[in-house]
């Protein structure tokens, strides 16, 4: 089952245990590994196997449509395949994880932002998608995200040598999945002009504070105010009254973290990076041929239209329509 899900990088424990139980069992004997680290390691094994046997085209043309529980019009267009062989040299150069969705989503958001207002018809949308299917443009921007995150991680290791006593511990840190705060830092450094219409719809991770390590553990403190007294998976843990499941982060004119109930779009066509709890994608809220539509641009072959985040993104972006 996991091989059919590898494009999603979803942390589905049952699937991983079913197909990679032996790998998980072997890792369970390694001191200091958390369940999350074991899941990531097992999924990395799966992803590498997928990449070795993939042999597919870098450019994708997959299209999915769905209707949300409240009638929301949701659409997904697949762009570049993050598991294609074309991405491997950059993964090796910058010591990235095999799952590079967060790097691509950040680059795609910046590529979309200056063009978002031009989408009014289905033809406009296809032209926009073709921009995100241009390997020369998007890989250049994605590599810049990779380079920045890699440099920040290397600097953190250098400044905290006691936390990384072995080669393995350094490698695990360098190749860990990209964190929300790293996407945030990169976008903040891009400046308000490039991020004017970009927001990051991210899960409140305060409920996951007990499993956070290194810099992420320190950075989670800013999410305390959004609630989440009980610990557990950020997408499913029970939240107390007044707590916010999602945080909306905006970057222009200055950085701001808001509860989803407080945020209002400053643009008629906001670009949203979506935290899908195990995957990242970018979405555009626009009106296509008279219909409000959330269009998600994805870098794997699967569909992500089912789930809480896309429907929440639609509701937030079109609030008041």
């Amino acid at each position: 089952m996991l091989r059919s899900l590898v494009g999603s990088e979803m942390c589905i424990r049952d699937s991983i245990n079913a197909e990679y139980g032996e790998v998980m069992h072997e890792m369970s004997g390694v001191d200091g590994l958390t369940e999350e680290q074991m899941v990531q390691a097992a999924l990395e094994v799966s992803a590498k196997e997928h990449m070795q046997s993939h042999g597919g085209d870098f450019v994708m043309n997959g299209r999915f449509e769905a209707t949300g529980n409240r009638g929301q019009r949701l659409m997904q267009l697949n762009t570049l395949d993050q598991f294609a062989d074309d991405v491997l040299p950059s993964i090796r150069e910058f010591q990235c994880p095999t799952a590079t969705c967060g790097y691509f989503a950040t680059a795609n958001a910046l590529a979309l932002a200056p063009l978002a207002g031009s989408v009014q018809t289905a033809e406009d949308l296809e032209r926009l998608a073709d921009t995100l299917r241009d390997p020369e443009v998007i890989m250049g921007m994605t590599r810049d995200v990779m380079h920045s995150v890699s440099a920040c991680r290397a600097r953190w290791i250098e400044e905290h040598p006691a936390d990384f006593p072995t080669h393995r511990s350094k490698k695990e840190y360098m190749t860990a999945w990209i964190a929300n705060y790293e996407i945030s830092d990169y976008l903040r450094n891009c400046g308000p002009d490039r991020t004017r219409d970009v927001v990051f719809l991210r899960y409140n991770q305060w409920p996951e504070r007990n499993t956070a390590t290194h810099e992420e553990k320190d950075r989670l403190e800013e999410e305390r105010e959004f609630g989440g007294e009980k610990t557990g998976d950020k997408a499913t843990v029970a939240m107390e009254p007044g707590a916010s499941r999602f945080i909306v982060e905006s970057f222009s004119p200055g950085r701001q973290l808001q509860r989803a109930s407080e945020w209002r779009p400053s643009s008629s066509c906001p670009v949203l990076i979506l935290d899908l709890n195990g995957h990242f994608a970018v979405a555009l809220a626009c009106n296509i041929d008279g219909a409000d539509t959330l269009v998600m641009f994805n870098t794997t072959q699967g569909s992500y239209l089912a789930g809480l985040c896309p429907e929440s993104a639609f509701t937030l972006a079109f609030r008041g329509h």
Side-chain angles (χ1 to χ4, degrees), residues 250-270:
S250 53
F251 304 91
S252 182
R255 183 192 186 229
Q256 190 174 14
L257 295 176
Q258 294 177 281
R259 294 170 181 267
S261 59
E262 299 170 344
W263 179 75
R264 296 295 183 275
S266 59
S267 165
S268 60
C269 296

Side-chain angles (χ1 to χ4, degrees), residues 78-123:
N78 292 346
T79 56
L80 297 180
D81 189 347
Q82 67 184 56
F83 290 108
D85 290 344
D86 306 69
V87 188
L88 278 174
S90 298
I91 288 175
R92 292 169 180 148
E93 179 179 353
F94 299 114
Q95 301 182 68
C96 296
T98 307
T100 54
C101 52
Y103 303 90
F104 274 98
T106 305
N108 283 339
L110 293 171
L112 276 177
L115 307 173
S118 65
V119 178
Q120 297 180 346
T121 67
E123 291 74 17

Side-chain angles (χ1 to χ4, degrees), residues 250-299:
S250 53
F251 304 91
S252 182
R255 183 192 186 229
Q256 190 174 14
L257 295 176
Q258 294 177 281
R259 294 170 181 267
S261 59
E262 299 170 344
W263 179 75
R264 296 295 183 275
S266 59
S267 165
S268 60
C269 296
V271 175
L272 304 97
I273 297 176
L274 304 182
D275 171 3
L276 298 169
N277 194 28
H279 184 57
F280 292 101
V282 66
L284 173 65
C286 55
N287 188 283
I288 301 175
D289 296 327
D292 289 341
T293 309
L294 184 82
V295 183
M296 188 159 57
F297 300 92
N298 185 47
T299 53

Side-chain angles (χ1 to χ4, degrees), residues 172-287:
E172 286 175 352
Y173 185 69
M174 290 298 297
T175 59
W177 292 335
I178 194 170
N180 283 356
Y181 76 86
E182 292 174 314
I183 293 176
S184 170
D185 286 352
Y186 183 84
L187 291 170
R188 291 165 69 182
N189 290 333
C190 286
D193 290 338
R194 292 186 68 195
T195 57
R196 180 172 290 111
D197 296 325
V198 176
V199 296
F200 187 7
L201 180 60
R202 44 192 285 190
Y203 275 98
N204 172 12
Q205 292 182 298
W206 183 242
E208 297 185 347
R209 56 192 176 275
N210 286 355
T211 57
T213 59
H214 302 303
E215 185 174 6
E216 185 174 38
K217 184 174 183 178
D218 295 340
R219 299 292 292 273
L220 278 186
E221 188 63 37
E222 68 178 2
E223 300 183 33
R224 178 195 292 266
E225 66 177 280
F226 297 99
E229 295 175 356
K230 293 183 178 180
T231 58
D233 186 275
K234 60 187 178 183
T236 59
V237 67
M239 303 290 277
E240 71 274 10
S244 181
R245 176 77 65 187
F246 287 104
I247 299 170
V248 182
E249 181 176 12
S250 53
F251 304 91
S252 182
R255 183 192 186 229
Q256 190 174 14
L257 295 176
Q258 294 177 281
R259 294 170 181 267
S261 59
E262 299 170 344
W263 179 75
R264 296 295 183 275
S266 59
S267 165
S268 60
C269 296
V271 175
L272 304 97
I273 297 176
L274 304 182
D275 171 3
L276 298 169
N277 194 28
H279 184 57
F280 292 101
V282 66
L284 173 65
C286 55
N287 188 283

